[in-house]
Amino acid sequence: MPLLTIFFSDILEISKAPLNFWEIPESEMKRRAQIFSSHLIQRRSVRDFSERPIPKGVLEACLESAVTAPNGANLQPWHFSVIRDSKIKKAIREAAEEEEKKFYNSRAPNEWLDSLAPIGTNAKKPFLETAPALVAIFQKSEITSPDGTVSRTYYSKESVGISTGFLISSLHHAGLATLTHTPSPMKFLNEILARPLSEKPFLLLVVGFPAPDCHVPNIHRLPTEKMVEFH
Ligand code: IYR
């Protein structure tokens, strides 16, 4: 051991606060986990939305959950643009359908189209105008701090993915339906929403109530034990 070992943390003096840990009685833990999963199991991707507006404050509260996601170096490398304006929704629909037409008519290999066939999707995306809200989620490659310093971000894709998962789960928990929509490429979102090019569109989340006669494809999930192992 050298005579003088100075750790970075000794110089920087990291401020710490006691963890606010909510202890749950052991007898309750399994029940809570099962209630949560039995609710999440009911989530389906919806492509047929009603025009019914989202009650005030619901989407806002779900976004409060999304931004609590664990993320690289606490730089929070995400940006959420909520679109409720019908003119902007129309512009997004037109641009997305333009890309989707190219995808379905030429870009997508047959193997991909075959995998998509059971879901029954096509280039028409009316839900982008029908649904009361779209959330365009951007992945930030850099962050500008209030003093103007620019720093690169770390694990931004993982971070924004987890945050999006939190958002989808919160919206489902609150009684709303979603669709993770990924027209490709999505650069048009930077132009329409005036976001800098250092922000990469991650996905477009469609949010609202399902249409009263909404149907979803009859698809099956693999049994959990086929996807999970314990050592
Ligand atoms: N973006 C296209 C195609 C599509 C791709 C996958 I992978 C899906 O799971 C569903 C659709 C579309 O939205 O139609």
Side-chain angles (χ1 to χ4, degrees):
M1 183 83 160
L3 208 57
L4 190 66
T5 309
I6 302 176
F7 291 104
F8 195 51
S9 56
D10 292 333
I11 311 166
L12 210 64
E13 214 186 297
I14 291 162
S15 151
K16 291 200 171 188
L19 171 68
N20 201 356
F21 183 74
W22 182 12
E23 177 78 38
I24 291 163
E26 280 192 19
S27 57
E28 266 286 292
M29 291 171 75
K30 188 171 163 192
R31 197 186 69 88
R32 289 175 65 108
Q34 285 173 334
I35 289 173
F36 190 74
S37 74
S38 68
H39 191 216
L40 223 45
I41 284 167
Q42 303 298 326
R43 187 204 57 80
R44 293 297 311 264
S45 289
V46 161
R47 291 182 173 80
D48 198 3
F49 283 85
S50 129
E51 286 181 7
R52 183 175 161 193
I54 298 169
K56 247 198 163 89
V58 179
L59 181 51
E60 291 82 348
C62 293
L63 286 159
E64 294 288 349
S65 298
V67 298
T68 66
N71 64 92
N74 194 32
L75 293 172
Q76 298 165 109
W78 44 59
H79 180 86
F80 298 86
S81 291
V82 179
I83 303 108
R84 289 173 294 201
D85 182 291
S86 52
K87 282 198 203 87
I88 306 177
K89 284 197 283 179
K90 185 170 190 279
I92 290 177
R93 176 185 178 181
E94 282 168 4
E97 286 185 337
E98 208 47 51
E99 296 301 344
E100 295 292 21
K101 258 186 245 159
K102 291 181 212 153
F103 173 83
Y104 283 95
N105 295 337
S106 56
R107 267 192 213 135
N110 281 336
E111 193 188 4
W112 193 345
L113 294 178
D114 290 347
S115 296
L116 281 178
I119 307 173
T121 52
N122 58 41
K124 292 200 195 90
K125 306 294 172 193
F127 51 76
L128 293 174
E129 282 190 87
T130 325
L134 309 176
V135 185
I137 305 168
F138 293 88
Q139 174 190 347
K140 294 171 81 156
S141 59
E142 59 185 40
I143 297 285
T144 309
S145 56
D147 70 1
T149 326
V150 178
S151 39
R152 61 155 289 194
T153 59
Y154 305 92
Y155 298 103
S156 57
K157 197 164 193 175
E158 290 82 351
S159 306
V160 78
I162 300 168
S163 176
T164 301
F166 276 29
L167 180 59
I168 294 168
S169 308
S170 309
L171 289 163
H172 174 71
H173 186 63
L176 288 168
T178 57
L179 175 70
T180 47
H181 182 46
T182 51
S184 172
M186 282 193 277
K187 267 261 165 69
F188 63 84
L189 288 174
N190 291 78
E191 282 152 41
I192 295 175
L193 301 167
R195 297 310 304 170
L197 291 176
S198 57
E199 294 183 5
K200 189 170 178 236
F202 181 70
L203 66 80
L204 191 54
L205 194 68
V206 186
V207 186
F209 289 96
D213 58 345
C214 175
H215 280 61
V216 289
N218 253 329
I219 50 164
H220 301 284
R221 292 183 172 122
L222 276 177
T224 311
E225 57 274 18
K226 290 240 186 280
M227 302 180 282
V228 178
E229 64 174 354
F230 293 87
H231 292 280

